[in-house]
Amino acid sequence: MCGFVALLNKKEVPVERKTVEKMTGVLLHRGPDSEGFHLDQRVGLGFRRLSIIDLEKGDQPLSNETGEIWIVFNGEIYNYRELRGSLEHKGHRFKTDSDTEAILHLYEETGFECPRFLRGMFGFVIWDGRKDLLFGARDHFGIKPVYWTETSEAFAFGSEIKSLLELRGVSREVNPASFHRYLTFQYVPDPDTMFQGIYKIPPAHRFKVEKDKLTVTPYWTAQFLPERDHTVSHHVEKTKEVLAESVAKHRISDVPRGAFLSSGVDSSSIAALLRRHEEVKTFTVGFDVKGYSELEIARRTAFKLGTDHHELLVGSRQYLEELPRLVWHQDEPVADPSAVALYFVARLASRHVAVVLSGEGADEFFGGYNIYREPEALRMFSRMPQSLRGGLGRMASRLPRGLKGRGFLLRGSKTVEERYFGNAFIFDEDLKRRIVADPSALKDHHPWEVTWPIYARVAAMDDVTKMQYLDIHTWLCGNILMKADKMTMANSLELRVPFVDCKVFEVASRIPTEYKIRDGTTKWVLREAMKDVLPEEIHSRKKLGFPVPIRQWLRKEFYAWARETLMGGRVDRWINKAEAARLLEMHKDGRFDYSRQIWTLLIFILWHEIYIERSVRFHPSVSPHVYERRRKNLRTKTG
């Protein structure tokens, strides 16, 4: 796990080393173990390394035998040994034992098709001096980020936005469309970012820069292909087999491993399957508010699994003190309160291990979110004529906000494409018009522009599958995996997600909806598959996933800070402060729960202070725990 930059100057202008060093320097937290550079006329590659595989010889940038092709790579390839064997059989010669070199030789063998053969998480850039082109790709589901921008002088790519901002000619301006979409989704959907002119390479896409022209194309497409001719026991057995195999693959490293552990089936399954192979350290975090701590349940689970368990209790003051730095690490606003919880548990884990496994992706692949039960609850509306459904919706819209049953009628009056924008639907269009400084701008930036093209690809599928498909292409990569990457890398810790695996998805995509959600239980097949490896109280438990008491804190401990931030932020161009203050007061008084809306505004204001106004500054740093871990000589080969 590392951080890289790649710079390609236009018109044969040589790259200055100091520019690449500056861009790479802000990625220190992603790679505290070493740095490397390669400059070749108009190309500059920079790299920060967190040593995980081939500790002695795996430094980057790495070249082929002739020195004509170079690579910088962030991630892990879990089938690199199989690829290496095949490539050696075809005559390729390797000088390291790293997975990085397998990508390089695979590119020599298969060209632009090479990403299709990789199993793992990756973002990489290859400079092919023979063909005078830059080539790269992002993994199938977007576990690892790749950002890019173009100036009048160059194309630039990097693992984080902050490295691109070090480049001359890159401005710090808010993208208006991104801001309005952020208010809906609580993050900025791919391929945009909150910065005007800076973009993400979407998951499962490759890119090349040739003759000073960038092209981005897909190399793989996710498909749901439910197999109803198989019994439910077949799907349970297949799920059991593929998860065990995936966890075994995700063990590949030359450093110690551990696992995050919450109270639910996802992380518990990963920890239990890992425990079959080795001694395991597990880590969890809780909050000092009743009902918002999973420590006791995680502690019991760890005891039954036989892990070496570590836990941390976080208070409101500690949470708030760390928040600005974590917003800096995220690059762009992601208003998920659990991101901070993830930071704290990653910091705890970084004292003990260099790699952790976690349970992200299980809900999207196996149908785990409670909202996926909604189509069944709304089935009665689907039998009504559209005119009647529309009439019910218009009637419900005139009822007072907060009245019991209003939301049910509104949602039932709409199709899934009209009502479901993903797991986080923060500001609806009515509330958004009140909160933005310029409501007229909203007409050009409707969230349907993001979701409808995705829905169109699964138009013939059932509503639950449509919801899963949308979440995989928006929520999973834009929120879940983004915060996972940034919050663990802030602590120089590598996170691996065995559920988010091509072979796991292949099995999950074949499970019919009636087996994913059965008798009102979500993730039914997954729960059945994990029955033999999990304690009984866990295998059927509802997912919580490090819950955070933002609702309570905004009414008490955070109230004064929230009001000061909302009213003092220099964001009058974007936010109607009077309306923001009104939401906060209604929330404080307990009339409505506007905690998610208020938090979304607060995170944007903090981000604006750090990245646009630059009134709050941070410097790249590495947690002392990382150096402590190295001094204790924990980086020894564990198999």
Side-chain angles (χ1 to χ4, degrees), residues 147 161 174-175 178-183 185-189 192-195 200 326-336 339 478-479 482-483 486 599-612:
Y147 300 95
I161 290 174
V174 176
N175 181 336
S178 294
F179 171 69
H180 294 133
R181 289 168 183 166
Y182 165 77
L183 293 178
F185 298 101
Q186 86 175 12
Y187 59 89
V188 178
D192 294 323
T193 72
M194 191 62 83
F195 293 91
K200 306 181 191 89
L326 305 190
V327 172
W328 178 78
H329 273 293
Q330 287 179 332
D331 276 342
E332 52 181 333
V334 179
D336 188 336
N479 186 94
M482 189 60 66
K483 71 179 182 182
K486 297 297 175 57
W599 193 250
T600 300
L601 298 176
L602 291 169
I603 293 297
F604 175 79
I605 293 170
L606 283 177
W607 172 84
H608 196 274
E609 290 176 349
I610 293 167
Y611 278 102
I612 305 301

Short mmCIF file of all heavy atoms in Angstrom, two decimals, residues 147 161 174-175 178-183 185-189 192-195 200 326-336 339 478-479 482-483 486 599-612:
data_model
loop_
_atom_site.label_atom_id
_atom_site.label_comp_id
_atom_site.label_asym_id
_atom_site.label_seq_id
_atom_site.Cartn_x
_atom_site.Cartn_y
_atom_site.Cartn_z
N TYR A 147 -6.62 9.86 -9.03
CA TYR A 147 -7.10 11.19 -9.42
C TYR A 147 -6.26 11.71 -10.58
O TYR A 147 -5.11 11.32 -10.76
CB TYR A 147 -6.98 12.16 -8.25
CG TYR A 147 -7.78 11.77 -7.03
CD1 TYR A 147 -7.19 11.07 -5.98
CD2 TYR A 147 -9.13 12.09 -6.92
CE1 TYR A 147 -7.92 10.71 -4.85
CE2 TYR A 147 -9.87 11.74 -5.80
CZ TYR A 147 -9.26 11.04 -4.77
OH TYR A 147 -9.98 10.69 -3.66
N ILE A 161 -5.66 13.82 -4.00
CA ILE A 161 -5.84 15.13 -4.64
C ILE A 161 -4.77 16.10 -4.17
O ILE A 161 -4.28 16.93 -4.95
CB ILE A 161 -7.24 15.68 -4.34
CG1 ILE A 161 -8.30 14.85 -5.09
CG2 ILE A 161 -7.36 17.15 -4.74
CD1 ILE A 161 -9.73 15.23 -4.75
N VAL A 174 -14.30 25.38 -6.21
CA VAL A 174 -15.38 24.42 -6.00
C VAL A 174 -16.11 24.18 -7.31
O VAL A 174 -16.44 25.13 -8.04
CB VAL A 174 -16.36 24.94 -4.94
CG1 VAL A 174 -17.54 23.98 -4.78
CG2 VAL A 174 -15.65 25.13 -3.60
N ASN A 175 -16.37 22.92 -7.60
CA ASN A 175 -17.20 22.55 -8.75
C ASN A 175 -18.67 22.68 -8.33
O ASN A 175 -19.14 21.94 -7.45
CB ASN A 175 -16.89 21.11 -9.16
CG ASN A 175 -17.68 20.66 -10.37
OD1 ASN A 175 -18.75 21.18 -10.66
ND2 ASN A 175 -17.16 19.68 -11.08
N SER A 178 -20.72 19.50 -8.36
CA SER A 178 -20.29 18.58 -7.30
C SER A 178 -20.87 18.98 -5.96
O SER A 178 -21.28 18.12 -5.17
CB SER A 178 -18.76 18.55 -7.23
OG SER A 178 -18.21 17.99 -8.40
N PHE A 179 -20.90 20.28 -5.67
CA PHE A 179 -21.46 20.74 -4.41
C PHE A 179 -22.92 20.34 -4.29
O PHE A 179 -23.37 19.83 -3.25
CB PHE A 179 -21.32 22.26 -4.27
CG PHE A 179 -22.06 22.83 -3.10
CD1 PHE A 179 -21.65 22.57 -1.81
CD2 PHE A 179 -23.19 23.61 -3.29
CE1 PHE A 179 -22.34 23.08 -0.72
CE2 PHE A 179 -23.89 24.13 -2.22
CZ PHE A 179 -23.46 23.86 -0.92
N HIS A 180 -23.69 20.56 -5.33
CA HIS A 180 -25.11 20.24 -5.28
C HIS A 180 -25.35 18.73 -5.18
O HIS A 180 -26.29 18.29 -4.49
CB HIS A 180 -25.82 20.83 -6.50
CG HIS A 180 -25.81 22.32 -6.51
ND1 HIS A 180 -25.48 23.06 -7.62
CD2 HIS A 180 -26.07 23.24 -5.53
CE1 HIS A 180 -25.55 24.36 -7.33
NE2 HIS A 180 -25.90 24.48 -6.08
N ARG A 181 -24.52 17.94 -5.83
CA ARG A 181 -24.66 16.49 -5.73
C ARG A 181 -24.21 15.99 -4.35
O ARG A 181 -24.78 15.04 -3.80
CB ARG A 181 -23.88 15.81 -6.85
CG ARG A 181 -24.54 16.01 -8.20
CD ARG A 181 -23.65 15.61 -9.36
NE ARG A 181 -24.31 15.89 -10.64
CZ ARG A 181 -23.71 15.91 -11.81
NH1 ARG A 181 -22.40 15.65 -11.88
NH2 ARG A 181 -24.38 16.17 -12.91
N TYR A 182 -23.20 16.63 -3.81
CA TYR A 182 -22.75 16.30 -2.46
C TYR A 182 -23.88 16.45 -1.45
O TYR A 182 -24.02 15.64 -0.52
CB TYR A 182 -21.57 17.21 -2.09
CG TYR A 182 -21.20 17.25 -0.63
CD1 TYR A 182 -20.48 16.20 -0.04
CD2 TYR A 182 -21.55 18.34 0.16
CE1 TYR A 182 -20.14 16.24 1.30
CE2 TYR A 182 -21.20 18.40 1.50
CZ TYR A 182 -20.50 17.35 2.08
OH TYR A 182 -20.15 17.39 3.40
N LEU A 183 -24.69 17.47 -1.59
CA LEU A 183 -25.81 17.67 -0.68
C LEU A 183 -26.81 16.52 -0.75
O LEU A 183 -27.49 16.22 0.24
CB LEU A 183 -26.52 18.99 -0.99
CG LEU A 183 -25.73 20.27 -0.73
CD1 LEU A 183 -26.54 21.49 -1.14
CD2 LEU A 183 -25.29 20.38 0.73
N PHE A 185 -25.87 13.18 -1.86
CA PHE A 185 -25.25 11.87 -1.62
C PHE A 185 -24.33 11.83 -0.39
O PHE A 185 -23.93 10.75 0.03
CB PHE A 185 -24.42 11.46 -2.85
CG PHE A 185 -25.22 11.29 -4.10
CD1 PHE A 185 -25.25 12.28 -5.08
CD2 PHE A 185 -25.95 10.13 -4.32
CE1 PHE A 185 -25.99 12.12 -6.25
CE2 PHE A 185 -26.69 9.96 -5.49
CZ PHE A 185 -26.71 10.97 -6.46
N GLN A 186 -23.90 12.96 0.15
CA GLN A 186 -22.92 13.15 1.22
C GLN A 186 -21.48 12.87 0.76
O GLN A 186 -20.56 12.85 1.57
CB GLN A 186 -23.26 12.36 2.49
CG GLN A 186 -22.79 10.93 2.57
CD GLN A 186 -23.09 10.29 3.92
OE1 GLN A 186 -23.82 10.81 4.74
NE2 GLN A 186 -22.50 9.13 4.17
N TYR A 187 -21.28 12.70 -0.51
CA TYR A 187 -19.98 12.58 -1.14
C TYR A 187 -20.16 13.01 -2.59
O TYR A 187 -21.29 13.22 -3.05
CB TYR A 187 -19.44 11.14 -1.07
CG TYR A 187 -20.37 10.14 -1.73
CD1 TYR A 187 -20.25 9.83 -3.09
CD2 TYR A 187 -21.40 9.54 -1.01
CE1 TYR A 187 -21.12 8.96 -3.70
CE2 TYR A 187 -22.27 8.66 -1.63
CZ TYR A 187 -22.14 8.37 -2.96
OH TYR A 187 -23.00 7.50 -3.58
N VAL A 188 -19.08 13.14 -3.33
CA VAL A 188 -19.16 13.52 -4.74
C VAL A 188 -19.01 12.26 -5.59
O VAL A 188 -17.96 11.62 -5.57
CB VAL A 188 -18.07 14.54 -5.11
CG1 VAL A 188 -18.16 14.89 -6.61
CG2 VAL A 188 -18.20 15.80 -4.26
N PRO A 189 -20.04 11.88 -6.35
CA PRO A 189 -19.95 10.66 -7.17
C PRO A 189 -18.91 10.79 -8.29
O PRO A 189 -18.68 11.87 -8.83
CB PRO A 189 -21.36 10.54 -7.76
CG PRO A 189 -22.24 11.35 -6.87
CD PRO A 189 -21.38 12.48 -6.39
N ASP A 192 -16.38 12.97 -10.95
CA ASP A 192 -16.04 14.32 -10.49
C ASP A 192 -15.46 14.29 -9.09
O ASP A 192 -15.58 13.29 -8.36
CB ASP A 192 -17.28 15.21 -10.52
CG ASP A 192 -17.79 15.47 -11.92
OD1 ASP A 192 -16.96 15.61 -12.83
OD2 ASP A 192 -19.02 15.52 -12.11
N THR A 193 -14.86 15.41 -8.69
CA THR A 193 -14.49 15.65 -7.31
C THR A 193 -15.07 17.01 -6.93
O THR A 193 -15.66 17.70 -7.76
CB THR A 193 -12.96 15.67 -7.11
OG1 THR A 193 -12.42 16.87 -7.68
CG2 THR A 193 -12.30 14.45 -7.75
N MET A 194 -14.87 17.44 -5.69
CA MET A 194 -15.36 18.75 -5.28
C MET A 194 -14.55 19.88 -5.92
O MET A 194 -14.97 21.03 -5.91
CB MET A 194 -15.35 18.87 -3.76
CG MET A 194 -16.10 20.08 -3.22
SD MET A 194 -17.87 20.11 -3.63
CE MET A 194 -18.52 19.05 -2.34
N PHE A 195 -13.40 19.55 -6.48
CA PHE A 195 -12.55 20.54 -7.13
C PHE A 195 -12.88 20.66 -8.61
O PHE A 195 -12.98 19.64 -9.32
CB PHE A 195 -11.07 20.18 -6.99
CG PHE A 195 -10.54 20.25 -5.60
CD1 PHE A 195 -10.57 19.14 -4.77
CD2 PHE A 195 -9.99 21.42 -5.10
CE1 PHE A 195 -10.07 19.19 -3.48
CE2 PHE A 195 -9.49 21.49 -3.82
CZ PHE A 195 -9.53 20.38 -3.00
N LYS A 200 -11.74 11.82 -10.82
CA LYS A 200 -11.36 10.46 -10.45
C LYS A 200 -11.42 9.58 -11.70
O LYS A 200 -12.33 9.74 -12.52
CB LYS A 200 -12.31 9.87 -9.41
CG LYS A 200 -12.53 10.68 -8.15
CD LYS A 200 -13.50 9.92 -7.23
CE LYS A 200 -13.98 10.80 -6.09
NZ LYS A 200 -15.20 11.55 -6.42
N LEU A 326 -8.71 15.04 9.88
CA LEU A 326 -9.28 13.94 9.11
C LEU A 326 -9.94 14.45 7.84
O LEU A 326 -9.92 13.77 6.82
CB LEU A 326 -10.28 13.17 9.97
CG LEU A 326 -9.71 12.65 11.30
CD1 LEU A 326 -10.69 11.70 11.95
CD2 LEU A 326 -8.37 11.98 11.10
N VAL A 327 -10.53 15.64 7.90
CA VAL A 327 -11.08 16.26 6.69
C VAL A 327 -9.94 16.53 5.70
O VAL A 327 -10.09 16.35 4.49
CB VAL A 327 -11.85 17.54 7.03
CG1 VAL A 327 -12.24 18.30 5.77
CG2 VAL A 327 -13.09 17.21 7.85
N TRP A 328 -8.80 16.96 6.22
CA TRP A 328 -7.63 17.16 5.34
C TRP A 328 -7.22 15.85 4.68
O TRP A 328 -6.92 15.81 3.48
CB TRP A 328 -6.47 17.73 6.16
CG TRP A 328 -5.22 17.93 5.38
CD1 TRP A 328 -4.93 18.94 4.51
CD2 TRP A 328 -4.06 17.07 5.37
NE1 TRP A 328 -3.67 18.78 3.97
CE2 TRP A 328 -3.11 17.64 4.49
CE3 TRP A 328 -3.73 15.89 6.04
CZ2 TRP A 328 -1.86 17.07 4.25
CZ3 TRP A 328 -2.49 15.31 5.80
CH2 TRP A 328 -1.57 15.90 4.91
N HIS A 329 -7.20 14.78 5.43
CA HIS A 329 -6.81 13.48 4.87
C HIS A 329 -7.80 13.00 3.81
O HIS A 329 -7.40 12.31 2.87
CB HIS A 329 -6.71 12.43 5.98
CG HIS A 329 -5.37 12.40 6.65
ND1 HIS A 329 -4.22 11.99 6.01
CD2 HIS A 329 -5.00 12.73 7.92
CE1 HIS A 329 -3.20 12.06 6.85
NE2 HIS A 329 -3.63 12.51 8.01
N GLN A 330 -9.07 13.37 3.92
CA GLN A 330 -10.06 12.87 2.96
C GLN A 330 -9.98 13.54 1.60
O GLN A 330 -10.59 13.06 0.64
CB GLN A 330 -11.47 13.07 3.54
CG GLN A 330 -11.79 12.12 4.67
CD GLN A 330 -13.18 12.35 5.24
OE1 GLN A 330 -13.70 13.47 5.21
NE2 GLN A 330 -13.79 11.31 5.76
N ASP A 331 -9.27 14.66 1.48
CA ASP A 331 -9.11 15.38 0.20
C ASP A 331 -10.36 16.16 -0.22
O ASP A 331 -10.27 17.29 -0.66
CB ASP A 331 -8.74 14.44 -0.95
CG ASP A 331 -7.25 14.16 -1.00
OD1 ASP A 331 -6.48 14.92 -0.40
OD2 ASP A 331 -6.87 13.18 -1.64
N GLU A 332 -11.50 15.54 -0.16
CA GLU A 332 -12.76 16.21 -0.49
C GLU A 332 -13.79 15.80 0.55
O GLU A 332 -13.62 14.78 1.23
CB GLU A 332 -13.23 15.86 -1.91
CG GLU A 332 -13.30 14.38 -2.20
CD GLU A 332 -13.75 14.10 -3.62
OE1 GLU A 332 -14.47 14.93 -4.20
OE2 GLU A 332 -13.41 13.03 -4.14
N PRO A 333 -14.85 16.57 0.74
CA PRO A 333 -15.78 16.26 1.83
C PRO A 333 -16.51 14.94 1.64
O PRO A 333 -17.09 14.69 0.59
CB PRO A 333 -16.74 17.45 1.82
CG PRO A 333 -16.61 18.06 0.47
CD PRO A 333 -15.21 17.81 0.03
N VAL A 334 -16.45 14.11 2.67
CA VAL A 334 -17.23 12.88 2.76
C VAL A 334 -17.91 12.93 4.13
O VAL A 334 -17.25 12.75 5.15
CB VAL A 334 -16.36 11.62 2.64
CG1 VAL A 334 -17.22 10.36 2.77
CG2 VAL A 334 -15.61 11.60 1.31
N ALA A 335 -19.21 13.22 4.14
CA ALA A 335 -19.90 13.55 5.39
C ALA A 335 -20.45 12.31 6.09
O ALA A 335 -21.59 12.31 6.58
CB ALA A 335 -21.02 14.55 5.12
N ASP A 336 -19.66 11.27 6.16
CA ASP A 336 -20.03 10.06 6.86
C ASP A 336 -19.42 10.10 8.25
O ASP A 336 -18.20 10.02 8.38
CB ASP A 336 -19.53 8.84 6.09
CG ASP A 336 -20.06 7.53 6.65
OD1 ASP A 336 -20.42 7.50 7.85
OD2 ASP A 336 -20.11 6.53 5.91
N ALA A 339 -16.57 7.80 9.40
CA ALA A 339 -15.20 7.94 8.91
C ALA A 339 -14.26 8.25 10.06
O ALA A 339 -13.11 7.77 10.09
CB ALA A 339 -15.12 9.03 7.84
N GLY A 478 -17.79 5.59 -3.68
CA GLY A 478 -17.72 7.00 -3.35
C GLY A 478 -17.68 7.29 -1.87
O GLY A 478 -17.14 8.32 -1.45
N ASN A 479 -18.22 6.39 -1.06
CA ASN A 479 -18.28 6.62 0.39
C ASN A 479 -17.54 5.53 1.16
O ASN A 479 -16.55 5.79 1.84
CB ASN A 479 -19.75 6.68 0.83
CG ASN A 479 -19.91 7.06 2.28
OD1 ASN A 479 -20.09 8.23 2.63
ND2 ASN A 479 -19.85 6.09 3.18
N MET A 482 -13.88 4.86 -0.13
CA MET A 482 -13.10 6.09 -0.09
C MET A 482 -12.67 6.40 1.34
O MET A 482 -11.50 6.68 1.62
CB MET A 482 -13.89 7.25 -0.67
CG MET A 482 -13.08 8.51 -0.86
SD MET A 482 -11.68 8.27 -1.99
CE MET A 482 -12.56 7.94 -3.53
N LYS A 483 -13.61 6.35 2.28
CA LYS A 483 -13.25 6.64 3.67
C LYS A 483 -12.33 5.54 4.21
O LYS A 483 -11.42 5.83 5.01
CB LYS A 483 -14.50 6.78 4.54
CG LYS A 483 -15.23 5.48 4.81
CD LYS A 483 -16.46 5.66 5.69
CE LYS A 483 -17.12 4.31 5.96
NZ LYS A 483 -18.34 4.41 6.77
N LYS A 486 -8.75 6.38 2.90
CA LYS A 486 -8.15 7.60 3.44
C LYS A 486 -7.90 7.51 4.95
O LYS A 486 -6.89 8.00 5.45
CB LYS A 486 -9.04 8.80 3.12
CG LYS A 486 -9.20 9.08 1.62
CD LYS A 486 -7.88 9.45 0.97
CE LYS A 486 -8.00 9.62 -0.52
NZ LYS A 486 -8.98 10.62 -0.93
N TRP A 599 -24.56 17.88 9.65
CA TRP A 599 -23.20 17.34 9.57
C TRP A 599 -22.63 17.49 8.16
O TRP A 599 -21.45 17.81 7.98
CB TRP A 599 -23.19 15.88 9.99
CG TRP A 599 -21.81 15.34 10.23
CD1 TRP A 599 -21.12 14.43 9.48
CD2 TRP A 599 -20.95 15.68 11.32
NE1 TRP A 599 -19.90 14.19 10.02
CE2 TRP A 599 -19.76 14.95 11.16
CE3 TRP A 599 -21.07 16.54 12.41
CZ2 TRP A 599 -18.69 15.04 12.05
CZ3 TRP A 599 -20.00 16.64 13.30
CH2 TRP A 599 -18.83 15.91 13.11
N THR A 600 -23.47 17.29 7.16
CA THR A 600 -23.03 17.46 5.77
C THR A 600 -22.56 18.88 5.51
O THR A 600 -21.54 19.11 4.84
CB THR A 600 -24.17 17.07 4.82
OG1 THR A 600 -24.52 15.70 5.05
CG2 THR A 600 -23.77 17.25 3.36
N LEU A 601 -23.29 19.86 6.04
CA LEU A 601 -22.89 21.26 5.89
C LEU A 601 -21.61 21.55 6.65
O LEU A 601 -20.71 22.24 6.15
CB LEU A 601 -24.02 22.18 6.38
CG LEU A 601 -25.36 22.08 5.64
CD1 LEU A 601 -26.38 22.99 6.31
CD2 LEU A 601 -25.20 22.44 4.16
N LEU A 602 -21.49 21.02 7.86
CA LEU A 602 -20.30 21.28 8.68
C LEU A 602 -19.03 20.73 8.03
O LEU A 602 -17.99 21.38 8.03
CB LEU A 602 -20.50 20.67 10.07
CG LEU A 602 -21.54 21.35 10.97
CD1 LEU A 602 -21.82 20.48 12.19
CD2 LEU A 602 -21.07 22.74 11.39
N ILE A 603 -19.13 19.53 7.50
CA ILE A 603 -17.95 18.92 6.85
C ILE A 603 -17.54 19.74 5.62
O ILE A 603 -16.35 19.95 5.36
CB ILE A 603 -18.23 17.46 6.47
CG1 ILE A 603 -18.39 16.61 7.73
CG2 ILE A 603 -17.11 16.90 5.59
CD1 ILE A 603 -17.17 16.53 8.61
N PHE A 604 -18.53 20.20 4.85
CA PHE A 604 -18.19 21.04 3.69
C PHE A 604 -17.50 22.33 4.13
O PHE A 604 -16.52 22.75 3.51
CB PHE A 604 -19.45 21.39 2.90
CG PHE A 604 -19.19 22.34 1.76
CD1 PHE A 604 -18.63 21.90 0.57
CD2 PHE A 604 -19.46 23.70 1.89
CE1 PHE A 604 -18.35 22.77 -0.47
CE2 PHE A 604 -19.20 24.59 0.85
CZ PHE A 604 -18.64 24.13 -0.33
N ILE A 605 -17.98 22.96 5.20
CA ILE A 605 -17.38 24.21 5.66
C ILE A 605 -15.95 23.97 6.14
O ILE A 605 -15.03 24.75 5.83
CB ILE A 605 -18.25 24.84 6.77
CG1 ILE A 605 -19.58 25.29 6.20
CG2 ILE A 605 -17.52 26.02 7.42
CD1 ILE A 605 -20.60 25.70 7.25
N LEU A 606 -15.72 22.89 6.89
CA LEU A 606 -14.36 22.57 7.33
C LEU A 606 -13.45 22.33 6.14
O LEU A 606 -12.31 22.80 6.09
CB LEU A 606 -14.38 21.33 8.24
CG LEU A 606 -14.86 21.51 9.67
CD1 LEU A 606 -14.87 20.17 10.38
CD2 LEU A 606 -13.98 22.50 10.41
N TRP A 607 -13.96 21.56 5.17
CA TRP A 607 -13.17 21.30 3.96
C TRP A 607 -12.86 22.61 3.24
O TRP A 607 -11.73 22.81 2.76
CB TRP A 607 -13.94 20.36 3.04
CG TRP A 607 -13.31 20.19 1.70
CD1 TRP A 607 -12.31 19.33 1.37
CD2 TRP A 607 -13.61 20.95 0.51
NE1 TRP A 607 -11.97 19.49 0.04
CE2 TRP A 607 -12.75 20.47 -0.51
CE3 TRP A 607 -14.51 21.96 0.22
CZ2 TRP A 607 -12.78 20.99 -1.80
CZ3 TRP A 607 -14.55 22.47 -1.07
CH2 TRP A 607 -13.69 21.99 -2.06
N HIS A 608 -13.83 23.49 3.14
CA HIS A 608 -13.65 24.77 2.46
C HIS A 608 -12.58 25.61 3.16
O HIS A 608 -11.73 26.23 2.51
CB HIS A 608 -14.98 25.53 2.43
CG HIS A 608 -15.03 26.66 1.46
ND1 HIS A 608 -14.58 27.93 1.77
CD2 HIS A 608 -15.48 26.72 0.17
CE1 HIS A 608 -14.76 28.72 0.73
NE2 HIS A 608 -15.30 28.02 -0.26
N GLU A 609 -12.58 25.60 4.48
CA GLU A 609 -11.55 26.33 5.24
C GLU A 609 -10.16 25.78 4.96
O GLU A 609 -9.19 26.54 4.82
CB GLU A 609 -11.85 26.25 6.74
CG GLU A 609 -13.06 27.04 7.19
CD GLU A 609 -13.36 26.83 8.67
OE1 GLU A 609 -12.75 25.91 9.28
OE2 GLU A 609 -14.20 27.57 9.21
N ILE A 610 -10.06 24.46 4.87
CA ILE A 610 -8.75 23.81 4.72
C ILE A 610 -8.24 23.91 3.29
O ILE A 610 -7.06 24.25 3.07
CB ILE A 610 -8.85 22.33 5.15
CG1 ILE A 610 -9.12 22.25 6.66
CG2 ILE A 610 -7.59 21.56 4.78
CD1 ILE A 610 -9.55 20.88 7.13
N TYR A 611 -9.08 23.65 2.31
CA TYR A 611 -8.61 23.51 0.94
C TYR A 611 -8.85 24.73 0.05
O TYR A 611 -8.10 24.95 -0.90
CB TYR A 611 -9.25 22.28 0.29
CG TYR A 611 -8.53 21.00 0.64
CD1 TYR A 611 -9.02 20.12 1.59
CD2 TYR A 611 -7.32 20.68 0.02
CE1 TYR A 611 -8.35 18.95 1.91
CE2 TYR A 611 -6.64 19.51 0.34
CZ TYR A 611 -7.15 18.66 1.28
OH TYR A 611 -6.48 17.51 1.61
N ILE A 612 -9.90 25.50 0.31
CA ILE A 612 -10.19 26.65 -0.54
C ILE A 612 -9.67 27.93 0.10
O ILE A 612 -8.86 28.66 -0.49
CB ILE A 612 -11.70 26.76 -0.81
CG1 ILE A 612 -12.24 25.45 -1.41
CG2 ILE A 612 -11.97 27.94 -1.76
CD1 ILE A 612 -11.59 25.02 -2.70
#
